[in-house]
Amino acid sequence: MRELATIHKRAAQDHQVLEPGLYSRIMVIVDDNIPSEGNDENCYLTPVAPPKSGQGYYTLTATDGAQRPAEISLDEAKLSQQDSEVATLLEAYEWITERGLAKDTKSIQVILISNIGPCTGCKARLKIFYGDLLTAADEKGVKVTITVESVYDTPEASRDRTRGNKIPTTYGYPDAVKTPYAISDQQGAYWLYRLPELQ
């Protein structure tokens, strides 16, 4: 708990920038190895991705990328295709498939850390990412337990908004659990949502 809260605090400091928006990073814990800045041997902490940095496979708009689920409209996909999670998910996926999925790996915990919970489109992207990890592990013949979580810091668990041309979206998860932490003499709380296991 202390390590996760420390990472979240560092991410919150990274988010204090002039440009508003959702910033994110991912912490990859492999076999209980907690990453720190610059440590990518047995675990990984992605760089902080700013708003409008997303591109590539997880945009849900690329012809050679992840397929857009039917419940995500093309408008929603286009409006959110540059969100910070898009870049962060690809960064984490590449590290995990190149280095994290070793034959002796027993568990991988992926934690998406952001200042605002993911929008409707990015929640779909996170689920697709989860499925991609399970597929990659199966293809490599690695028997590993994989969990995917979202951690964020907002007053409420979820918030309904409109984007662009009045496209409705929900930031965060209504079922997220408020999780307190204490570091030295500082106390706080963040929202935590664990994605249901995929078969």
Side-chain angles (χ1 to χ4, degrees), residues 28-85:
V28 181
I29 301 171
V30 180
D31 293 336
D32 298 323
N33 291 302
I34 306 291
S36 58
E37 213 70 56
N39 172 16
D40 64 355
E41 186 62 34
N42 302 309
C43 46
Y44 190 53
L45 183 63
T46 70
V48 174
K52 300 180 182 176
S53 62
Q55 58 182 329
Y57 185 79
Y58 288 108
T59 60
L60 301 184
T61 58
T63 55
D64 58 347
Q67 294 302 302
R68 175 176 54 87
E71 67 270 17
I72 302 299
S73 71
L74 182 57
D75 287 338
E76 167 71 29
K78 286 180 176 178
L79 281 170
S80 60
Q81 66 184 341
Q82 291 186 314
D83 285 1
S84 63
E85 294 97 332

Side-chain angles (χ1 to χ4, degrees), residues 12-23:
Q13 292 169 345
D14 291 335
H15 298 150
Q16 293 173 2
V17 295
L18 296 176
E19 184 181 1
L22 192 153
Y23 286 70

